[in-house]
Amino acid sequence: MIAALTVAAALIQTSAAAEAPPVQPIRASKIILVGDSTTAVIGGWGPSFCAYHVTSFAACVNLARGGRSSGSYIAEGSWDLALSEMATPGYANTYVLIQFGHNDQPGKPGRSTDLATEFPANLKRYVAEARARGATPILLTPLVRRQFVDGRLQNDLEPWAEAVRVVAAETNTPLVDLNHASAETVQALGPAMSARFAQAAPSPEVAAALMTGTTIASSTGVPAAPGAPSTAQNNAAVEPLGQARIAFDYTHVGREGADFFAALVTHDLIAAAPSMRRLLIP
């Protein structure tokens, strides 16, 4: 009797296995973030993007690092690591989001690049080498700094943003114009309201200046002179070669800022690269 039941059970299991539909292989993709601290973990929008705007059908790898320019990121070997990630087998598609500009500006020894020559050449190298690995590069203009004079945003990164736009057009590369979108938002909010995007609350002195419409350097109290380089306007904007420190400044973002700008990137990314739509959560 027991033997008969055992045989019957085995036949039922065999029949069920035969009727089960075949398992379909997953078609997963990968998204790689390349850039400086305004994209990186602690200080950038990248962590919120990977955590809340990418579906489980995509691996999101944040390789952005604080203090890097388009040149130093290559020189130190970080770009080689990104290329290795692009070569990992098994992914249906690989997308590389590239955002530089902050540390390419003048006054940053070992990092600054020439706006007319080196910066666009580096961006074109990123695009060409990503494509050579079978990946899809996407260029982003740099996140705006939240600096004001008399209520007007001082977008000192606009020349670098324009250079990115030109390279995107020349290389037929999808573009997310984060500088333009973030500048519109920050200007609309004004100095006091946009200060909520920072990593920490401003000091009483800085908060008082915000209410006048003119930002001051977050740690020295020096007024931001119109047209002055970013190092004079906001010394905290000069990123160290490492993670951005947790402090108030006008460049880096805390959780609220990361969440806001990650959503902004996602919205514009869907328009710029429609093939990514199924991988993204608006």
Side-chain angles (χ1 to χ4, degrees):
M1 182 64 176
I2 294 177
L5 290 174
T6 301
V7 171
L11 290 173
I12 292 173
Q13 290 176 351
T14 301
S15 176
E19 295 174 0
V23 176
Q24 296 297 319
I26 187 172
R27 287 183 55 79
S29 295
K30 179 185 284 188
I31 302 172
I32 302 170
L33 307 186
V34 168
D36 57 36
S37 63
T38 60
T39 301
V41 174
I42 307 179
W45 54 265
S48 288
F49 174 80
C50 289
Y52 304 114
H53 295 282
V54 176
T55 73
S56 61
F57 287 92
C60 191
V61 183
N62 191 345
L63 296 182
R65 292 186 172 84
R68 274 62 177 182
S69 69
S70 67
S72 65
Y73 192 88
I74 294 172
E76 72 181 9
S78 286
W79 179 238
D80 289 334
L81 294 176
L83 290 172
S84 295
E85 283 288 342
M86 296 175 217
T88 304
Y91 290 95
N93 298 287
T94 298
Y95 300 91
V96 188
L97 278 57
I98 304 161
Q99 183 207 291
F100 286 105
H102 292 79
N103 296 294
D104 288 88
Q105 292 183 303
K108 299 171 183 178
R111 295 179 283 169
S112 300
T113 62
D114 183 79
L115 176 59
T117 58
E118 291 178 274
F119 184 60
N122 288 339
L123 295 179
K124 290 177 182 179
R125 175 177 174 176
Y126 287 122
V127 168
E129 293 187 357
R131 286 174 174 162
R133 289 296 196 282
T136 300
I138 299 166
L139 293 173
L140 286 77
T141 56
L143 180 69
V144 76
R145 290 194 176 98
R146 305 176 297 278
Q147 301 174 142
F148 288 80
V149 174
D150 295 330
R152 296 298 303 172
L153 179 69
Q154 305 298 293
N155 188 359
D156 65 339
L157 284 157
E158 170 55 31
W160 283 264
E162 180 58 23
V164 177
R165 296 181 194 114
V166 170
V167 170
E170 290 178 348
T171 59
N172 195 29
T173 302
L175 174 74
V176 172
D177 199 344
L178 179 57
N179 185 266
H180 176 74
S182 59
E184 282 193 332
T185 297
V186 172
Q187 178 63 68
L189 289 174
M193 292 292 289
S194 64
R196 299 180 344 211
F197 292 149
Q199 292 177 302
S203 68
E205 182 184 26
V206 170
L210 291 170
M211 297 304 295
T212 71
T214 297
T215 53
I216 60 176
S218 57
S219 63
T220 66
V222 177
S230 60
T231 51
Q233 294 187 30
N234 173 25
N235 60 354
V238 181
E239 304 166 26
L241 288 178
Q243 290 297 348
R245 60 191 178 91
I246 304 298
F248 178 86
D249 66 24
Y250 306 110
T251 300
H252 304 101
V253 294
R255 176 62 183 272
E256 183 173 351
D259 287 349
F260 184 91
F261 292 118
L264 198 62
V265 167
T266 304
H267 176 272
D268 290 355
L269 189 56
I270 290 171
S275 62
M276 295 185 70
R277 176 63 187 89
R278 65 184 183 85
L279 306 174
L280 300 174
I281 304 170

